[in-house]
Amino acid sequence: MQKQISNLDKLTLSNDFLFKHVMLRKRICKHILEELLHTEIADITYLEAEQTIDVYPDSHGIRLDVRIADAANTHYNLEMQVKNPVNRATGKFLLPKRTRYYQAMLDTDMLQKGQDYDELSPTYIIFFCLFDFFQDSQRIYTFKKRCLENMNIELADEAVIMFLNTLGTKGDVSPDIQSLFDYINSNTINSNFTREVADTIVEIKNDKKVRDAYMTYEMRMKDLRDEAHAEGKAEGLAEGKAEGLAEGKAEGLAEGKAEEKTATAKRLLSMGLSVEDIAKATSLSVEQVEKIKAE
């Protein structure tokens, strides 16, 4: 029990569990949207936080951190992205096509049978990124569909994707958004707004319901680690059998275990655990965890 509490106490706003709970505070979330979009929002309504959308039984489901609708029925999906995911097999970065899939699934989930296409609500998919995906130092990258032959022509499908680069130095953002970026990057409190965010985080961490929810979250992460271990072991056995050699089996099992440990370490790093605690939990050396963290 004390270990779970200790882990929760170490979390920062960049952790998706804590990010979700902070964004569930209406005043904070509404203020962020207003500052980002330079508009007043009458009110916001939470759809299902951390909602998993499976439009078809055999489709790839998506887990949304926070999904919101405002009084004008504009929908927002807010995500915290600590790492820049890459397909190891192809070397291609996954974030652009992830946003494409998120948009498609949101639209499919939103439009009920018999409704017209023009009943689709305007949408904003907003990623808070702790890295500069486009390497142009912009604080905000906003994407809308435009005609390549005439960039003044916009498709006007009311679908917007925004990447917030917390490390950015170009482009104007409001003082409160910049202070939020500073707080995400280094826990620096330099405005009344980030003081409110920090106080809210303390309040959240002291909430017994949140602590219980975090214990459930940790158990779910453990289940994922166990599944990854089982998959790695099965792959190792399959490879060994295909090769027909005992050493092939051993190598496959070892690789499966190594990949499982690496995957577990990455998840725990994203949750804000210390390198020492992760080394103990995964049986990796501190040096190995440090190397994974650097990557």
Side-chain angles (χ1 to χ4, degrees), residues 22-274:
V22 172
M23 291 302 106
L24 289 176
R25 300 301 176 99
K26 182 179 287 190
R27 185 188 180 285
I28 290 176
C29 188
K30 179 173 173 289
H31 183 65
I32 290 173
L33 291 175
E34 289 178 330
E35 294 290 294
L36 281 175
L37 305 178
H38 309 289
T39 187
E40 288 189 17
I41 296 175
D43 194 15
I44 58 174
T45 301
Y46 291 95
L47 304 176
E48 188 176 352
E50 201 175 344
Q51 177 186 13
T52 299
I53 296 179
D54 291 291
V55 177
Y56 303 109
D58 57 350
S59 67
H60 181 78
I62 58 174
R63 183 182 61 80
L64 305 179
D65 281 352
V66 183
R67 190 178 173 196
I68 303 156
D70 66 17
N73 202 33
T74 298
H75 287 222
Y76 307 88
N77 171 217
L78 279 64
E79 301 285 330
M80 177 61 70
Q81 191 70 38
V82 175
K83 302 293 183 182
N84 188 7
V86 63
N87 185 322
R88 292 184 181 181
T90 64
K92 292 183 178 180
F93 292 103
L94 303 177
L95 201 52
K97 287 190 176 179
R98 178 183 292 182
T99 63
R100 172 179 164 183
Y101 190 71
Y102 275 30
Q103 185 65 62
M105 297 292 277
L106 283 170
D107 287 345
T108 306
D109 182 64
M110 193 184 305
L111 197 64
Q112 302 299 315
K113 186 175 181 180
Q115 288 184 303
D116 293 329
Y117 294 118
D118 63 358
E119 294 183 68
L120 282 171
S121 300
T123 60
Y124 285 83
I125 296 177
I126 303 172
F127 278 82
F128 288 77
C129 297
L130 276 69
F131 52 89
D132 187 356
F133 183 85
F134 301 99
Q135 299 296 307
D136 192 44
S137 300
Q138 299 292 335
R139 290 182 172 91
I140 299 179
Y141 299 93
T142 303
F143 291 87
K144 296 181 179 181
K145 297 183 180 70
R146 292 189 179 273
C147 175
L148 294 179
E149 290 73 19
N150 183 347
M151 295 298 287
N152 291 320
I153 300 175
E154 183 182 332
L155 184 59
D157 62 351
E158 297 185 308
V160 180
I161 295 174
M162 300 176 70
F163 297 90
L164 311 184
N165 171 24
T166 64
L167 304 176
T169 56
K170 295 180 182 178
D172 294 330
V173 293
S174 73
D176 277 355
I177 292 299
Q178 183 58 57
S179 69
L180 180 65
F181 287 175
D182 295 338
Y183 184 73
I184 291 172
N185 291 332
S186 60
N187 284 328
T188 301
I189 299 172
N190 53 22
S191 70
N192 291 333
F193 179 58
T194 48
R195 166 53 62 192
E196 179 182 358
V197 172
D199 290 344
T200 299
I201 287 175
V202 172
E203 181 183 336
I204 288 170
K205 288 180 177 181
N206 289 327
D207 188 323
K208 185 180 183 304
K209 289 183 178 179
V210 175
R211 290 187 175 278
D212 291 343
Y214 184 66
M215 290 182 67
T216 302
Y217 175 85
E218 283 277 72
M219 286 188 284
R220 186 173 65 185
M221 291 300 102
K222 181 180 182 301
D223 289 341
L224 290 174
R225 293 193 295 270
D226 291 343
E227 289 175 13
H229 175 74
E231 289 175 6
K233 185 175 180 180
E235 288 175 7
L237 286 170
E239 289 176 6
K241 185 175 180 180
E243 293 173 5
L245 298 171
E247 62 184 44
K249 290 183 180 181
E251 182 180 352
L253 284 168
E255 288 178 359
K257 275 192 171 183
E259 289 181 5
E260 185 272 332
K261 286 184 178 181
T262 299
T264 299
K266 288 181 177 179
R267 291 192 194 98
L268 296 179
L269 281 167
S270 72
M271 291 163 55
L273 272 67
S274 69

